[in-house]
Amino acid sequence: MAKIKMKKKSTSTDMTAMCDVAFLLLTFFILTATAKTPEVLPVDTPQSTVQTKLPADNLSTLTIGKANGKTAVFFDLKGKDVRKKALEFMADKYNVVFTEKESEEFGLMESFGVPIQNLKAILNMKAADRSKAGQPGIPKDSLDNQLKDWVLYSRKANIEVNDKELNFAIKGDAKEQYPAIKQVMDILQDQKVNSFNLVTGLRGKNF
């Protein structure tokens, strides 16, 4: 008995709906994405195989690198309200007046590296222009140790706002000399901050 051959039908699928969804998702991500602000003081951190995440909040990062050919320290502090409170303490200490708008802008700003007397000029710049402003770093010598005061008042501000002790991290360039790193560590230890993180880049185990 002869076998009956079944006719093969086309298996084509209409992809119009799928393409519409893909373009809608692509449009959504493009419209909602924000450009990453370049680091004010980019550094090449040392490599390490240790994988320990920094705290997401209650954190201050001291970045050490070269600015205009000289070693400079930049300061960063997490939390808008904490930043504003720390700025208020510093303004009182150094008799610098900031407007409410400048205070709000400082609360949103990331790392900076200028004496507090020059901070107003940085705050009135666009975020994209701050990395091009040639910030010299925060003073940290014996005659004008503003870095010490930023550490002190940031700790005080964090306790007032979050009722927690502030964590610190040192992010140093791999090519930076040890004395520059030690100077920052000494400033922390002078204020009884003996526990802090050292930021490194991730290195593969096979090397």
Side-chain angles (χ1 to χ4, degrees):
M1 185 175 177
K3 293 182 179 180
I4 301 174
K5 293 184 179 180
M6 302 293 294
K7 291 184 178 180
K8 294 182 179 180
K9 296 183 179 180
S10 175
T11 57
S12 62
T13 304
D14 187 0
M15 297 295 291
T16 304
M18 184 69 73
C19 291
D20 290 343
V21 172
F23 278 113
L24 285 172
L25 288 172
L26 180 61
T27 303
F28 171 78
F29 287 122
I30 291 175
L31 294 177
T32 57
T34 55
K36 182 181 179 181
T37 304
E39 291 185 84
V40 181
L41 182 65
V43 295
D44 183 15
T45 55
Q47 300 298 301
S48 171
T49 57
V50 178
Q51 300 185 49
T52 303
K53 290 185 177 181
L54 291 174
D57 52 7
N58 300 314
L59 177 68
S60 173
T61 303
L62 287 73
T63 304
I64 308 168
K66 286 289 189 295
N68 301 321
K70 297 181 179 179
T71 299
V73 179
F74 281 52
F75 190 82
D76 188 25
L77 181 62
K78 299 296 183 185
K80 178 180 178 180
D81 294 335
V82 179
R83 290 179 67 93
K84 292 173 63 177
K85 178 59 70 172
L87 180 65
E88 181 182 325
F89 289 142
M90 287 291 292
D92 289 341
K93 169 71 181 291
Y94 288 92
N95 297 316
V96 181
V97 178
F98 293 94
T99 65
E100 183 61 30
K101 181 181 178 181
E102 290 169 342
S103 178
E104 286 291 328
E105 185 63 29
F106 182 77
L108 300 173
M109 190 174 70
E110 296 186 356
S111 180
F112 66 96
V114 292
I116 191 169
Q117 294 86 353
N118 301 338
L119 186 56
K120 291 173 71 70
I122 298 296
L123 292 173
N124 289 306
M125 291 181 180
K126 293 181 179 179
D129 295 333
R130 290 170 184 158
S131 59
K132 306 173 186 177
Q135 301 183 39
I138 297 175
K140 59 185 185 305
D141 55 46
S142 58
L143 297 178
D144 185 17
N145 198 339
Q146 293 188 22
L147 181 61
K148 174 183 176 182
D149 290 329
W150 275 113
V151 171
L152 172 64
Y153 291 126
S154 294
R155 295 177 68 192
K156 184 177 178 181
N158 198 68
I159 290 175
E160 283 199 17
V161 175
N162 297 320
D163 196 25
K164 294 180 180 179
E165 185 60 49
L166 186 64
N167 298 303
F168 287 91
I170 297 176
K171 183 180 179 181
D173 193 284
K175 298 178 180 179
E176 198 59 60
Q177 298 296 316
Y178 176 70
I181 307 294
K182 185 177 184 300
Q183 183 181 12
V184 174
M185 294 171 64
D186 288 342
I187 289 174
L188 292 175
Q189 291 178 324
D190 284 344
Q191 298 189 48
K192 310 302 181 183
V193 180
N194 297 311
S195 177
F196 43 83
N197 299 280
L198 295 176
V199 181
T200 58
L202 183 61
R203 176 177 60 186
K205 294 185 178 180
N206 296 323
F207 57 88

